[in-house]
Amino acid sequence: DGNYYLEPKYLGISSAAFEADGYGLVAMGPDLKKENLTNGLIINFNKGETIRVKVLDDRDNSPLSFVSVNISIGKFLDTNIGTMPTNERGEVLFTHLSGKFILEIDAINYAPYRCEFVAEETKDIIVKLVIGGGLKGQLTLDENTTSANAVLSSKNSYYSVIIAADGKFEFVNIPPGEYKFRADQFQKKNLIKDNGQNLKIKQINIIIENDKITEINVTSPTGFCLLNELYNEDFGKRIVDAMLKI
């Protein structure tokens, strides 16, 4: 392993990534601050690990070729390391990886896949892609609504689509599981007297199943009300792009 010294004057950012030929990429942060690094920063490089990713069809374990596999650095840097297609065996190799990474796979007609892994603790990653489900429906829009988004969320997932002017929306290729549905609406200028303190968000429980489209109709307000211009009578001032739960 080699040690490399970087002067503090170059550290004006909160996070950083360092790489050298033949060594694993090193990610640091998110709290790098120039004033806290008066003695410089020591970066320890190592050779890194070779990770094999194998992508299969969940129904019969057959390999999926020409599927794009992407690896990036964690949530703070969000730096793309590389995107490669799987071969005829459904495999792809990534070399010189060191640290924590995010693996993402997108394939036509399959639900997207995402996971985190630590290179030093991982050798092979076997992914079984499932046929996604869907959700479509109709939202009764308020006459003051200028636009709206439909949202599906779970503990680890978040999906959003634009609701059409006629109130129709559709989600496709969603991983099976339990979700919360809501509709976020942008409305025209409104007068709110209670400062939103007594307003509560309403969500609908949805179960997404493999290769099945679920249909719903939403007739009452749900989600967040995003007012383009909000005037609060109690405080006597305008709040632009304020978010209130309804």
Side-chain angles (χ1 to χ4, degrees):
D1 295 347
N3 291 330
Y4 298 80
Y5 187 77
L6 185 65
E7 292 288 344
K9 65 182 179 181
Y10 296 111
L11 296 173
I13 55 179
S14 60
S15 58
F18 305 90
E19 61 180 347
D21 288 343
Y23 290 91
L25 185 144
V26 178
M28 307 189 75
D31 54 355
L32 292 180
K33 295 181 180 180
K34 179 177 177 180
E35 59 271 21
N36 296 334
L37 296 169
T38 56
N39 295 321
L41 176 66
I42 300 298
I43 307 164
N44 294 312
F45 285 98
N46 59 63
K47 294 295 184 180
E49 305 292 337
T50 296
I51 305 298
R52 181 183 70 131
V53 180
K54 188 175 184 66
V55 183
L56 306 173
D57 188 313
D58 181 68
R59 294 170 294 183
D60 56 9
N61 288 330
S62 61
L64 297 176
S65 57
F66 302 106
V67 171
S68 294
V69 179
N70 181 75
I71 286 184
S72 60
I73 296 177
K75 59 184 179 179
F76 298 113
L77 290 174
D78 196 26
T79 302
N80 183 52
I81 302 303
T83 300
M84 298 177 63
T86 55
N87 58 23
E88 67 277 3
R89 298 185 303 276
E91 299 177 352
V92 62
L93 291 179
F94 291 91
T95 60
H96 302 305
L97 297 182
S98 178
K100 188 174 183 179
F101 296 88
I102 294 175
L103 170 69
E104 295 176 298
I105 301 176
D106 283 307
I108 297 175
N109 297 326
Y110 291 88
Y113 177 87
R114 185 182 189 276
C115 74
E116 295 184 358
F117 69 94
V118 177
E120 289 76 8
E121 301 173 358
T122 309
K123 295 299 180 184
D124 293 336
I125 300 177
I126 298 178
V127 178
K128 296 185 178 183
L129 295 184
V130 300
I131 300 296
L135 174 71
K136 68 178 181 179
Q138 177 84 37
L139 173 67
T140 302
L141 298 174
D142 185 276
E143 61 181 7
N144 292 319
T145 299
T146 58
S147 62
N149 292 335
V151 175
L152 271 180
S153 62
S154 64
K155 182 178 180 181
N156 299 312
S157 303
Y158 179 93
Y159 304 95
S160 177
V161 296
I162 296 175
I163 298 176
D166 60 2
K168 294 181 179 180
F169 59 88
E170 183 174 7
F171 294 86
V172 296
N173 293 335
I174 302 298
E178 297 181 2
Y179 294 85
K180 299 286 187 180
F181 170 85
R182 73 172 194 266
D184 295 341
Q185 304 178 46
F186 283 89
Q187 294 189 344
K188 299 175 183 178
K189 181 177 178 180
N190 195 8
L191 189 67
I192 303 297
K193 297 183 178 181
D194 64 359
N195 197 31
Q197 296 300 316
N198 298 320
L199 302 178
K200 296 182 178 180
I201 187 171
K202 298 177 182 178
Q203 299 190 95
I204 300 173
N205 295 322
I206 296 291
I207 296 179
I208 300 296
E209 301 180 57
N210 278 22
D211 202 17
K212 180 180 179 181
I213 302 296
T214 301
E215 297 190 27
I216 63 171
N217 288 315
V218 184
T219 57
S220 60
T222 179
F224 292 102
C225 179
L226 304 151
L227 303 180
N228 294 331
E229 292 187 12
L230 173 68
Y231 186 88
N232 187 286
E233 191 176 58
D234 296 331
F235 289 89
K237 63 180 181 180
R238 180 173 294 177
I239 306 172
V240 180
D241 291 331
M243 177 181 285
L244 290 181
K245 293 180 179 180
I246 67 172

